[in-house]
Amino acid sequence: TQGGRNVSYSTLATVWAEYLAPDTGRETLTAEQISAQLLHVFRIRHRGDVLSSYRVTWTPSWDTGYAAKTLQIQAVIPDRDRPRQFLLLHCGEAA
């Protein structure tokens, strides 16, 4: 009633992904506070329905000591070597 909005997410698909590595880290200044973000890169089979406004839930297949992480997709880029087979997902994690 106050004009607010409720954002909710649902599962589009569950797919296998290859974790390539942390890409880079960066710091941003927002509202006079510094926040750090670690970017991760994943390779998935090409899909036409993946958008940069989506999120991914990553559950590592090796023992990291962490539970599943929810990451925001920053960019969806066709793989340079095989653009019609794979997509690279650059995903950000708030630290």
Side-chain angles (χ1 to χ4, degrees), residues 2-22:
Q2 302 261 333
R5 67 179 217 197
N6 185 8
V7 178
S8 65
Y9 291 92
S10 61
T11 301
L12 174 68
T14 301
V15 299
W16 287 97
E18 177 185 7
Y19 180 70
L20 297 178

Side-chain angles (χ1 to χ4, degrees), residues 14-93:
T14 301
V15 299
W16 287 97
E18 177 185 7
Y19 180 70
L20 297 178
D23 182 27
T24 58
R26 69 178 174 189
E27 290 183 344
T28 57
L29 179 64
T30 306
E32 298 184 20
Q33 289 187 328
I34 295 176
S35 62
Q37 191 174 58
L38 179 63
L39 299 177
H40 301 275
V41 180
F42 299 92
R43 180 184 291 135
I44 65 169
R45 291 219 174 262
H46 192 281
R47 299 174 55 99
D49 59 353
V50 179
L51 302 175
S52 60
S53 60
Y54 291 173
R55 301 185 317 172
V56 298
T57 301
W58 172 44
T59 305
S61 60
W62 63 92
D63 184 21
T64 62
Y66 297 108
K69 293 183 180 188
T70 301
L71 307 170
Q72 179 67 44
I73 298 176
Q74 305 278 327
V76 179
I77 303 169
D79 190 327
R80 185 177 26 199
D81 298 328
R82 294 168 282 180
R84 291 195 171 113
Q85 288 184 320
F86 297 102
L87 294 174
L88 299 178
L89 304 180
H90 293 249
C91 303
E93 168 189 356

